[in-house]
Amino acid sequence: METATRTTTHTADVTVDLCALRHLTESVICRAVEAALTKSPSVPEGIAAQVVDRNVTLTGQVDWTYQREAADQIVRSLPGVGSVENQITTVARTPLENAQERLNNARFRDPQIQPDHVVVTITGQTAVLTGYVRSLAEKRQAGLAAWIAPGVTAIENRLDIRPL
C-alpha cells in the first residue's frame, strides 16, 4: 500500500490541499471549465476549452474584449488549472463607419478626460490613443471610453501621464 504525503497550505481562512489538486483528471478539470463558462453571464456560447496536463486552451470568438477577459479569469480561478492560453478572438461587431467620430464625441462627454490633450485614431480595428492625461486613472478611463466604438477589437493606449 502506497502512502501519499499530503501538503497543505494555510492562508488566512483558506486551506488548500495540494495533493488533492494533483489528482484531478483532465476530464474533471474540463467539465469544471465547461460548467463555469456556461454559468457565467459574461461569457457567450461557443467558447471551447481543451485541457492537456492541467493546461487549458480557450478558443472561440466574442463580440467584446470584456467577454474574452471574463472567460480567462473564470478558468484561472478553478482548482487544478495549471495555466491558461487564451486564444479567444474578438470580432468586429459592425462596420467601422463613423467610429473615429463616435470616439471623439465620447471623450468629450467624459468629465475625467481633457479632450484637447487626447487624440484617437482608428487603424484597422484598433483604436490608438495618443497625447497626454493628468493621471493613471484618467489614462485608464480614456482606454475604457475607447471601447464605445463599434467594430473596435483592440485598444492601444499610448497616452503619457503628465501631472499638472
Side-chain angles (χ1 to χ4, degrees):
M1 179 178 212
E2 287 187 29
T3 306
T5 305
R6 290 197 172 263
T7 306
T8 57
T9 302
H10 299 282
T11 306
D13 295 330
V14 178
T15 301
V16 178
D17 187 342
L18 299 176
C19 186
L21 292 180
R22 282 193 294 270
H23 295 297
L24 291 176
T25 64
E26 287 181 4
S27 62
V28 169
I29 294 171
C30 193
R31 284 194 304 272
V33 168
E34 289 173 1
L37 293 175
T38 301
K39 288 179 185 177
S40 173
S42 299
V43 180
E45 292 181 15
I47 300 303
Q50 181 181 13
V51 180
V52 177
D53 294 330
R54 297 179 45 230
N55 301 309
V56 180
T57 301
L58 298 172
T59 56
Q61 294 181 334
V62 294
D63 291 331
W64 298 94
T65 298
Y66 83 85
Q67 295 169 318
R68 179 182 190 278
E69 292 171 356
D72 190 278
Q73 289 175 353
I74 288 166
V75 172
R76 284 186 192 282
S77 69
L78 294 174
V81 172
S83 67
V84 176
E85 182 178 343
N86 192 341
Q87 296 179 359
I88 298 171
T89 57
T90 308
V91 294
R93 298 171 303 283
T94 58
L96 286 170
E97 296 172 16
N98 301 325
Q100 180 101 21
E101 184 179 331
R102 289 181 189 186
L103 281 172
N104 285 325
N105 289 337
R107 71 189 168 116
F108 281 106
R109 288 191 303 266
D110 193 322
Q112 288 187 8
I113 302 168
Q114 291 202 338
D116 349 343
H117 305 295
V118 177
V119 177
V120 181
T121 308
I122 302 292
T123 304
Q125 295 177 330
T126 301
V128 180
L129 305 172
T130 55
Y132 66 93
V133 291
R134 296 170 295 196
S135 67
L136 182 58
E138 194 173 327
K139 180 176 180 172
R140 285 186 189 135
Q141 189 62 31
L144 291 172
W147 286 113
I148 196 169
V152 169
T153 60
I155 304 290
E156 284 186 29
N157 194 336
R158 299 178 186 169
L159 293 170
D160 290 327
I161 299 172
R162 296 184 191 168
L164 297 177

